[in-house]
Coordinates of all heavy atoms in Angstrom, one line a residue:
E1 N 118.0 71.3 105.7 CA 117.6 72.6 105.4 C 116.0 72.6 105.6 O 115.4 73.5 106.1 CB 117.9 72.9 103.9 CG 119.4 73.0 103.7 CD 119.7 73.5 102.2 OE1 118.8 73.5 101.5 OE2 120.8 73.6 101.8
K2 N 115.4 71.4 105.2 CA 114.0 71.3 105.4 C 113.6 71.4 107.0 O 112.7 72.0 107.4 CB 113.4 70.0 104.7 CG 111.9 69.9 105.0 CD 111.1 70.9 104.5 CE 109.6 70.7 104.7 NZ 108.8 71.8 104.2
M3 N 114.5 70.7 107.7 CA 114.1 70.6 109.2 C 114.2 72.1 109.8 O 113.4 72.3 110.6 CB 115.1 69.8 109.8 CG 114.9 68.3 109.5 SD 116.1 67.2 110.4 CE 115.5 65.5 110.0
D4 N 115.2 72.8 109.4 CA 115.4 74.2 109.8 C 114.0 74.9 109.5 O 113.6 75.8 110.3 CB 116.5 74.9 109.3 CG 117.8 74.2 109.7 OD1 117.8 73.4 110.6 OD2 118.9 74.4 109.1
G5 N 113.5 74.8 108.3 CA 112.4 75.5 107.9 C 111.1 75.2 108.6 O 110.2 76.0 108.7
E6 N 111.1 73.9 109.2 CA 109.9 73.6 109.9 C 109.9 74.1 111.3 O 108.8 74.1 112.0 CB 109.9 72.1 110.0 CG 109.6 71.4 108.7 CD 109.6 69.8 108.8 OE1 110.0 69.3 109.9 OE2 109.2 69.3 107.9
I7 N 110.9 74.6 111.8 CA 111.0 75.2 113.3 C 110.3 76.5 113.2 O 110.7 77.4 112.5 CB 112.4 75.3 113.8 CG1 113.1 74.0 113.7 CG2 112.3 75.9 115.2 CD1 114.5 74.1 114.2
P8 N 109.2 76.8 114.0 CA 108.6 78.1 114.0 C 109.6 79.2 114.4 O 110.4 78.9 115.4 CB 107.5 77.9 115.1 CG 107.3 76.4 115.2 CD 108.4 75.7 114.9
V9 N 109.4 80.3 113.9 CA 110.4 81.4 114.2 C 110.4 81.8 115.7 O 111.4 82.1 116.3 CB 110.2 82.6 113.3 CG1 108.8 83.2 113.6 CG2 111.3 83.6 113.4
N10 N 109.2 81.8 116.4 CA 109.2 82.1 117.8 C 109.9 81.0 118.6 O 110.4 81.4 119.7 CB 107.7 82.4 118.2 CG 106.9 81.0 118.1 OD1 107.3 80.1 117.5 ND2 105.7 81.0 118.7
L11 N 109.9 79.8 118.2 CA 110.6 78.8 118.9 C 112.2 79.0 118.7 O 112.9 78.8 119.7 CB 110.4 77.4 118.4 CG 111.0 76.2 119.0 CD1 111.0 76.2 120.6 CD2 110.5 74.9 118.5
L12 N 112.5 79.4 117.6 CA 114.0 79.8 117.3 C 114.4 81.0 118.4 O 115.5 81.0 118.8 CB 114.2 80.2 115.9 CG 114.1 78.9 114.9 CD1 114.3 79.5 113.6 CD2 115.1 78.0 115.2
R13 N 113.6 82.1 118.3 CA 113.9 83.2 119.1 C 114.0 82.7 120.6 O 114.9 83.1 121.4 CB 112.8 84.3 119.0 CG 112.8 84.9 117.7 CD 111.9 86.1 117.7 NE 111.7 86.7 116.3 CZ 110.6 86.6 115.6 NH1 109.5 86.1 116.2 NH2 110.5 87.2 114.5
F14 N 113.1 82.0 121.1 CA 113.0 81.5 122.5 C 114.3 80.6 122.7 O 115.0 80.8 123.9 CB 111.8 80.7 122.8 CG 111.9 79.9 124.1 CD1 111.8 80.7 125.3 CD2 112.1 78.7 124.1 CE1 111.9 80.0 126.5 CE2 112.2 77.9 125.4 CZ 112.0 78.7 126.5
T15 N 114.7 79.8 121.8 CA 115.9 79.0 122.0 C 117.2 79.9 122.2 O 118.0 79.6 123.1 CB 116.1 78.1 120.8 OG1 114.9 77.3 120.6 CG2 117.4 77.1 121.0
V16 N 117.3 80.9 121.4 CA 118.5 81.7 121.5 C 118.5 82.6 122.7 O 119.4 82.7 123.5 CB 118.5 82.7 120.3 CG1 119.7 83.7 120.4 CG2 118.7 81.8 118.9
L17 N 117.2 83.1 123.1 CA 117.2 84.0 124.3 C 117.2 83.2 125.6 O 117.6 83.9 126.6 CB 115.8 84.8 124.2 CG 115.8 85.9 123.0 CD1 114.4 86.5 123.1 CD2 116.9 86.9 123.1
S18 N 116.8 82.0 125.5 CA 116.8 81.3 126.8 C 118.2 81.0 127.4 O 118.5 80.9 128.5 CB 116.2 79.9 126.6 OG 116.9 79.1 125.8
G19 N 119.2 81.1 126.4 CA 120.6 80.8 127.0 C 120.9 79.4 127.3 O 121.9 79.1 127.9
E20 N 119.9 78.5 127.2 CA 120.0 77.0 127.6 C 120.9 76.3 126.5 O 120.4 76.1 125.4 CB 118.7 76.4 127.8 CG 117.8 76.9 128.9 CD 118.3 76.5 130.3 OE1 119.2 75.7 130.3 OE2 117.9 77.1 131.3
S21 N 122.0 75.8 127.0 CA 122.9 75.1 126.1 C 122.3 73.8 125.5 O 122.5 73.5 124.5 CB 124.2 74.9 126.7 OG 124.1 74.0 127.9
R22 N 121.5 73.1 126.4 CA 120.9 71.9 126.0 C 119.9 72.2 124.8 O 119.8 71.4 124.0 CB 120.2 71.3 127.2 CG 121.0 70.6 128.2 CD 120.3 70.1 129.4 NE 119.3 69.2 129.0 CZ 118.3 68.8 129.9 NH1 118.5 69.1 131.2 NH2 117.4 67.9 129.5
I23 N 119.1 73.3 124.8 CA 118.3 73.5 123.8 C 118.9 74.0 122.5 O 118.6 73.6 121.5 CB 117.2 74.6 124.3 CG1 116.5 74.2 125.5 CG2 116.1 74.8 123.1 CD1 115.5 75.2 126.1
M24 N 119.9 75.0 122.7 CA 120.6 75.4 121.6 C 121.5 74.4 120.8 O 121.6 74.5 119.6 CB 121.6 76.7 122.0 CG 120.8 77.8 122.5 SD 121.9 79.3 122.8 CE 122.8 78.7 124.2
A25 N 121.9 73.4 121.6 CA 122.7 72.3 120.9 C 121.8 71.5 119.9 O 122.3 70.9 119.1 CB 123.2 71.4 122.0
K26 N 120.5 71.6 120.1 CA 119.6 70.9 119.1 C 119.4 71.5 117.8 O 118.9 71.0 116.8 CB 118.3 70.7 119.8 CG 118.1 70.0 121.0 CD 118.7 68.5 120.9 CE 118.6 67.8 122.2 NZ 119.2 66.3 122.1
L27 N 119.8 72.9 117.7 CA 119.8 73.5 116.5 C 121.0 73.2 115.6 O 122.1 72.9 116.1 CB 119.8 75.1 116.7 CG 118.6 75.7 117.4 CD1 118.8 77.1 117.6 CD2 117.4 75.3 116.7
P28 N 120.8 73.2 114.2 CA 122.0 72.7 113.3 C 123.0 73.9 113.3 O 122.8 75.0 113.7 CB 121.3 72.8 112.0 CG 120.0 73.6 112.1 CD 119.6 73.4 113.5
E29 N 124.2 73.4 113.1 CA 125.4 74.3 113.1 C 125.3 75.4 112.2 O 125.7 76.6 112.5 CB 126.7 73.6 112.8 CG 127.0 72.5 114.0 CD 128.4 71.7 113.6 OE1 129.0 72.3 112.6 OE2 128.7 70.9 114.3
H30 N 124.8 75.3 111.0 CA 124.7 76.4 110.0 C 123.7 77.4 110.4 O 123.7 78.6 109.9 CB 124.4 75.8 108.6 CG 123.0 75.2 108.5 ND1 121.8 75.9 108.3 CD2 122.7 73.8 108.5 CE1 120.8 75.1 108.3 NE2 121.3 73.8 108.3
F31 N 122.9 77.1 111.4 CA 121.9 78.2 111.8 C 122.7 79.3 112.4 O 122.2 80.5 112.3 CB 120.8 77.6 112.8 CG 120.1 78.5 113.6 CD1 119.0 79.2 112.9 CD2 120.4 78.9 114.8 CE1 118.2 80.1 113.6 CE2 119.6 79.9 115.5 CZ 118.6 80.5 114.9
W32 N 123.7 79.0 113.2 CA 124.4 80.1 113.8 C 125.3 80.8 113.0 O 126.0 81.9 113.4 CB 125.4 79.4 115.0 CG 124.5 78.7 115.9 CD1 124.4 77.2 116.0 CD2 123.7 79.1 117.0 NE1 123.5 76.9 117.0 CE2 123.1 78.0 117.6 CE3 123.4 80.4 117.4 CZ2 122.2 78.2 118.7 CZ3 122.6 80.6 118.5 CH2 122.0 79.6 119.1
S33 N 125.3 80.5 111.7 CA 126.1 81.4 110.8 C 125.2 82.5 110.1 O 125.6 83.3 109.3 CB 126.7 80.5 109.6 OG 125.6 80.0 108.9
R34 N 124.0 82.6 110.5 CA 123.1 83.7 110.1 C 123.5 85.0 110.6 O 124.0 85.1 111.6 CB 121.6 83.4 110.4 CG 121.0 82.1 109.9 CD 119.7 81.9 110.3 NE 118.8 83.1 110.0 CZ 117.6 82.9 109.6 NH1 117.0 81.8 109.4 NH2 116.8 84.0 109.3
E35 N 123.2 86.1 109.7 CA 123.8 87.4 110.1 C 122.7 88.2 110.9 O 122.9 89.3 111.4 CB 124.0 88.1 108.8 CG 125.2 87.6 108.1 CD 125.5 88.4 106.8 OE1 124.7 89.4 106.6 OE2 126.4 88.1 106.1
D36 N 121.4 87.6 111.2 CA 120.4 88.3 111.9 C 120.2 87.8 113.3 O 119.1 87.8 113.8 CB 119.1 88.3 111.1 CG 118.7 86.9 110.6 OD1 119.4 85.9 110.9 OD2 117.6 86.8 110.1
I37 N 121.1 87.0 113.8 CA 121.1 86.5 115.1 C 121.8 87.4 116.1 O 123.0 87.0 116.4 CB 121.5 85.1 115.2 CG1 120.7 84.2 114.2 CG2 121.2 84.4 116.6 CD1 121.2 82.7 114.1
H38 N 121.3 88.5 116.4 CA 121.9 89.4 117.4 C 121.1 89.2 118.7 O 119.9 89.2 118.7 CB 122.0 90.8 117.0 CG 122.8 91.0 115.8 ND1 124.1 90.6 115.5 CD2 122.4 91.3 114.5 CE1 124.5 90.8 114.3 NE2 123.5 91.3 113.6
E39 N 121.7 89.2 119.9 CA 121.0 89.0 121.1 C 120.1 90.1 121.4 O 119.0 89.9 122.0 CB 122.0 88.8 122.2 CG 121.4 88.2 123.5 CD 122.4 87.8 124.4 OE1 123.4 88.5 124.6 OE2 122.3 86.7 125.1
Y40 N 120.4 91.4 121.0 CA 119.4 92.5 121.1 C 118.3 92.5 120.3 O 117.3 93.2 120.5 CB 120.3 93.8 121.0 CG 120.6 94.1 119.6 CD1 119.9 94.9 118.8 CD2 121.9 93.7 119.1 CE1 120.2 95.3 117.5 CE2 122.2 94.0 117.8 CZ 121.3 94.8 117.1 OH 121.8 95.0 115.7
D41 N 118.3 91.8 119.2 CA 117.2 91.6 118.1 C 117.3 90.4 117.4 O 117.8 90.3 116.3 CB 117.3 92.8 117.2 CG 116.0 93.0 116.5 OD1 115.0 92.3 116.8 OD2 116.0 93.9 115.5
V42 N 116.8 89.2 117.9 CA 116.9 88.0 117.3 C 115.9 87.7 116.3 O 114.7 87.9 116.5 CB 116.8 86.9 118.5 CG1 117.0 85.5 117.8 CG2 117.8 87.0 119.5
L43 N 116.4 87.4 115.1 CA 115.5 87.2 113.9 C 114.5 88.2 113.8 O 113.2 87.8 113.9 CB 115.0 85.7 114.1 CG 116.0 84.6 114.2 CD1 115.3 83.3 114.4 CD2 116.8 84.5 112.9
P44 N 114.8 89.4 113.5 CA 113.6 90.4 113.2 C 112.8 90.0 112.0 O 113.3 89.2 111.1 CB 114.4 91.7 113.1 CG 115.8 91.3 112.5 CD 116.0 89.9 113.2
P45 N 111.6 90.5 111.9 CA 110.8 90.3 110.7 C 111.4 90.9 109.6 O 112.3 91.8 109.6 CB 109.5 91.0 111.0 CG 109.4 91.2 112.5 CD 110.9 91.2 113.0
N46 N 111.3 90.2 108.4 CA 111.9 90.7 107.1 C 111.6 92.2 106.9 O 110.4 92.5 106.6 CB 111.5 89.8 106.0 CG 112.1 88.4 106.2 OD1 113.1 88.2 106.7 ND2 111.3 87.5 105.7
P47 N 112.5 93.1 106.9 CA 112.2 94.4 106.6 C 112.1 94.6 105.2 O 112.5 94.0 104.3 CB 113.5 95.2 107.2 CG 114.6 94.1 107.0 CD 114.0 92.8 107.1
L48 N 111.3 95.7 104.9 CA 111.2 96.2 103.4 C 112.5 96.8 103.0 O 113.2 97.3 103.7 CB 110.1 97.2 103.4 CG 108.7 96.8 103.8 CD1 107.8 98.0 103.6 CD2 108.2 95.6 103.0

């Protein structure tokens, strides 16, 4: 959990949008269970 928190959010967005399987494989499995990972809007800023 701490490791996930250390990844900058822009690096996470780039990893998802790049579509590179080698990069995405480095992310933990539970990351992909998030509800805000949509390809049209990856990890949007926390809304009010």
Side-chain angles (χ1 to χ4, degrees):
E1 294 180 3
K2 176 60 180 176
M3 287 181 178
D4 296 343
E6 289 180 347
I7 304 178
V9 65
N10 61 347
L11 178 55
L12 291 173
R13 293 191 186 110
F14 169 72
T15 301
V16 176
L17 294 176
S18 67
E20 295 286 349
S21 57
R22 287 174 52 183
I23 307 177
M24 293 189 291
K26 300 299 181 181
L27 297 178
E29 293 184 4
H30 64 81
F31 169 78
W32 301 102
S33 62
R34 297 180 56 140
E35 296 181 355
D36 54 354
I37 306 178
H38 303 299
E39 200 168 38
Y40 71 90
D41 193 10
V42 180
L43 300 175
N46 293 328
L48 297 179

